[in-house]
Amino acid sequence: MNVKAYIDKIVRDAKAASRKTAIADTSIKNAALEQMALNLIDNKEILMAENEKDLRAAEENGLTSAMIDRLKLTELRIEAMAEGIKEVINLSDPVSEIIEKVVRPNGLEIQKIRVPIGVIIIIYESRPNVTADAASLCLKTGNATILRGGKESIHSNIAIYRQISSALEKVGLDKNAIQVIETVDRDAVGYLLKADEFADLVIPRGGEGLIRNVVENSTIPVIKHYKGVCHVYVDEFADPDMAREICLNSKLQRPGTCNAMETMLVHEKLAGTFLPDVCKGMSDAAVELRGCEKSCKIVPGIQLAIDEDWSTEYLEKILSIKVVSSIDDAIEHISAYGSSHSDVIITEDKTNAKKFVDEVDSAAVYVNASTRFTDGFEFGMGAEIGISTDKLHARGPMGLKELTSYKYIIHGTGQIRK
Amino acid sequence: MNVKAYIDKIVRDAKAASRKTAIADTSIKNAALEQMALNLIDNKEILMAENEKDLRAAEENGLTSAMIDRLKLTELRIEAMAEGIKEVINLSDPVSEIIEKVVRPNGLEIQKIRVPIGVIIIIYESRPNVTADAASLCLKTGNATILRGGKESIHSNIAIYRQISSALEKVGLDKNAIQVIETVDRDAVGYLLKADEFADLVIPRGGEGLIRNVVENSTIPVIKHYKGVCHVYVDEFADPDMAREICLNSKLQRPGTCNAMETMLVHEKLAGTFLPDVCKGMSDAAVELRGCEKSCKIVPGIQLAIDEDWSTEYLEKILSIKVVSSIDDAIEHISAYGSSHSDVIITEDKTNAKKFVDEVDSAAVYVNASTRFTDGFEFGMGAEIGISTDKLHARGPMGLKELTSYKYIIHGTGQIRK
């Protein structure tokens, strides 16, 4: 297979398809989604049979049981995937929305209109459900999508893709509106990332290594988040009971997610009483504690942290703890070690709350709430394609609106420039 | 000089400064702008003396008279530069604007707030006025800026920079909020473009070569436009007089700009009468005409165009002309050869107007007006840092708002995620 020629055809076909999806009626896009969900349900057996090939290969290649679990398609998971697609049908279509409108003194009527981005490339790791999730959100917003999943899930992804394609064709949409890369050749990614003439956006989803590789090699704009090193700062004016509940929730409600707390910062005035209490809660839930010297002195069970701890996204039941002597120290620590994802202050003091939200440069900055709320559904977006810690285009949770661009449409009556 | 270490210090200093400018009051930022304008006027002689060094080098290096003219700082140009800075003072500061606000069912109050982007790198060619223009717009929006101008204007840029720095210090802002790269070493650009840990955005301004180099080497997000191949399509239902005026204005009002028309598309039903008329106007203004076979047959003075013509940004008095047999042909041509910048339909037919604005995928799509209006001032933005033909973050003219990002600020009363 000539991978370069293969990718070239894929991106050209996607570009051509994007011109059609961009002007497709909401009803057609919804009909396609409906049909996609139906096809997945109707062809469960085929999907599971193809998935079985991936699972066998995964076992042969010695993947961990956690990885194998992520890869696995069960009847229930296929139904959930179909359900996810159906939920996208109910979301309102942001395309064609008039964002702004102004009439200039010369009579020109300038409208800023929401339009699809165009061609979006998604590069992701082994979860096959991303294939259906990402495709449905991108289709709803009128984009053409190119999906490149991990090699571990290649058979599953292609099987899902066949069902998607046939749904697109059935409703009369260009089947190239959603394409899956069918080769596991690594060069394919390299060619995709240089196709800036045809593609408008790359969204990498996966570990930091995958994302860095995309950023370093792409000439197409990338939206990403490397990791989530989220902080809760317990201020000297915190309500200790509220602080305790929020810290436990931020760490424990789902430790493997990017919006879980990784570092807890505690003001020294409160540390003596608060730390033993919260650490007991953490230890009871089997959280490993690593802290600064001060915190180790206060709570005997804490191990001494090393510098690397402060910038580590554990994604598991490990927490780093630091006692700080002021709110400025806390902000400084977050600025030095944080990942600009989600950071919280617990305080009853309005001045400190304002200082924290003004000065902490993160996608989501909270006063008196859990870090775990940084999520498209929790923010009321109805869906989430990912979270961005970038500052351009989209920051924080990305919903349907963040999958759109805009254009200016100007109506005149013969105006010329003087 | 160790260029790597030099750039490393520059980007770190910029990041530190950006944290201060991000929270600086509008009044302080305006005071700095006022002082910058004053300093430039008060030090005209120094600026012109330094500029003289660049001019001498330019002559020795055999730069064209057009390039030397662009480089030159006269008393009048320095005053215009100061005036430009003063105009930025009068623009309203977009930072801290509440873009959206929502209260979730669980009581969380989510605000989406406009914030500065952070650290912006501007890479540009020889016009020294960009140094002051870009710096003032970025400062007004609370960003820290790193400016890298062309080597031809190095003395002028540094001289302007000294005045800017002293203004920042005088009002108590961090002088590193605006920095100019003082070495002409080309490696400096390479190091800057990899500083994604510290910088948030690169805006290249210049020719296509410079911009491609930035896109290919940057790991920092880039906003750009390669070129402006703008079209006017004269529909079969056009008012011929209006069409003639708009075509002449689009080509001639300022041929060297990116929003000037480069290709005129004319419906075949109108071509026989319209083309001779408009071409006479063009020829009278010394425009060289290059056209398709049909247009050559209609107007004897037109040379036969080659394929390359259709994708060329002439930036001078050359026009390519094509007779098309339908609106679909016109849209297809624009899609194949255009640069997604500014495209116009002249028509009295509403259906065709709608089809054109829906299907032409450009930053600005016009009905019955000149291409020349794609401009921050003409759009009412009050300023312009450039024009984007990208689809992410900013599309079309970029004003102050486009130099901002947003963050989510969430106020709770102890909410945890269930």
Side-chain angles (χ1 to χ4, degrees), chain A residues 309-330:
Chain A
D309 278 300
W310 309 121
S311 51
T312 299
E313 182 185 34
Y314 300 116
L315 293 173
E316 53 180 314
K317 287 187 177 181
I318 305 175
L319 176 70
S320 57
I321 302 170
K322 191 176 183 183
V323 174
V324 294
S325 54
S326 67
I327 183 173
D328 286 299
D329 271 12

Side-chain angles (χ1 to χ4, degrees), chain B residues 139-263:
Chain B
L139 181 69
K140 179 80 185 208
T141 42
N143 294 291
T145 321
I146 299 170
L147 296 142
R148 159 71 184 210
K151 67 175 188 304
E152 299 77 12
S153 53
I154 184 79
H155 293 99
S156 314
N157 290 338
I158 292 174
I160 294 168
Y161 167 45
R162 296 270 177 271
Q163 299 310 325
I164 292 175
S165 277
S166 102
L168 292 171
E169 281 189 302
K170 189 152 181 185
V171 304
L173 276 172
D174 190 325
K175 74 174 171 32
N176 295 322
I178 300 169
Q179 298 179 87
V180 162
I181 303 297
E182 299 200 33
T183 170
V184 296
D185 192 317
R186 300 197 98 202
D187 289 346
V189 173
Y191 293 125
L192 275 175
L193 296 178
K194 300 293 183 201
D196 52 54
E197 198 185 333
F198 304 101
D200 302 287
L201 170 63
V202 181
I203 305 179
R205 288 178 53 163
E208 201 174 339
L210 176 141
I211 297 170
R212 291 222 178 263
N213 178 54
V214 167
V215 168
E216 269 155 36
N217 292 294
S218 182
T219 54
I220 305 164
V222 179
I223 296 184
K224 63 189 183 293
H225 88 270
Y226 286 124
K227 57 182 179 179
V229 179
C230 303
H231 301 77
V232 176
Y233 163 57
V234 181
D235 188 43
E236 61 178 310
F237 303 112
D239 170 336
D241 292 333
M242 184 196 286
R244 183 180 182 279
E245 292 311 304
I246 288 176
C247 288
L248 291 171
N249 185 263
S250 298
K251 183 68 229 174
L252 290 165
Q253 201 257 345
R254 218 175 137 198
T257 57
C258 62
N259 60 14
M261 168 173 70
E262 304 294 12
T263 301

Side-chain angles (χ1 to χ4, degrees), chain B residues 108-122:
Chain B
L108 280 184
E109 184 196 292
I110 303 182
Q111 292 180 316
K112 187 174 176 180
I113 304 275
R114 206 176 282 290
V115 297
I117 289 175
V119 174
I120 300 178
I121 298 173
I122 317 264

Side-chain angles (χ1 to χ4, degrees), chain A residues 19 23 100 104 106 108 110 112 115 117-118 200-201 215-216 219 221 223 242 245-246 249 253 259 331-332 335 357-360 362-370 372-373 375 377-381 391-395 397 401-402 405-418, chain B residues 19 23 100 104 106 108 110 112 115 117-118 200-201 215-216 219 221 223 242 245-246 249 253 259 331-332 335 357-360 362-370 372-373 375 377-381 391-395 397 401-402 405-418:
Chain A
R19 292 178 58 196
I23 52 172
E100 282 171 30
R104 298 291 302 151
N106 61 6
L108 281 183
I110 305 181
K112 186 174 175 180
V115 297
I117 289 175
D200 301 286
L201 170 63
V215 168
E216 268 154 38
T219 54
I223 296 183
M242 184 196 288
E245 291 313 302
I246 288 176
N249 186 262
Q253 202 257 344
N259 60 12
I331 293 170
E332 205 52 52
S335 165
V357 300
D358 282 350
E359 298 187 20
V360 170
S362 297
V365 190
Y366 294 81
V367 179
N368 296 335
S370 170
R372 288 277 300 128
F373 287 107
D375 173 283
F377 295 93
E378 294 294 332
F379 273 31
M381 293 172 175
K391 291 195 181 167
L392 292 193
H393 189 77
R395 197 178 191 198
K401 257 196 216 172
E402 287 71 24
S405 178
Y406 58 84
K407 74 178 173 194
Y408 288 99
I409 295 179
I410 304 102
H411 284 88
T413 50
Q415 282 84 347
I416 58 172
R417 193 156 162 196
K418 304 283 192 291
Chain B
R19 292 178 58 197
I23 53 171
E100 283 171 29
R104 299 291 301 153
N106 61 6
L108 280 184
I110 303 182
K112 187 174 176 180
V115 297
I117 289 175
D200 302 287
L201 170 63
V215 168
E216 269 155 36
T219 54
I223 296 184
M242 184 196 286
E245 292 311 304
I246 288 176
N249 185 263
Q253 201 257 345
N259 60 14
I331 293 170
E332 206 50 55
S335 165
V357 301
D358 282 351
E359 297 187 20
V360 171
S362 297
V365 191
Y366 294 82
V367 179
N368 296 335
S370 170
R372 288 279 297 127
F373 287 108
D375 173 283
F377 295 93
E378 294 295 333
F379 273 32
M381 292 172 174
K391 291 195 181 168
L392 291 194
H393 188 77
R395 197 177 190 199
K401 257 195 216 172
E402 287 71 23
S405 177
Y406 58 83
K407 72 178 173 194
Y408 289 99
I409 294 180
I410 304 101
H411 283 89
T413 50
Q415 282 84 347
I416 58 172
R417 193 157 161 194
K418 304 282 192 294

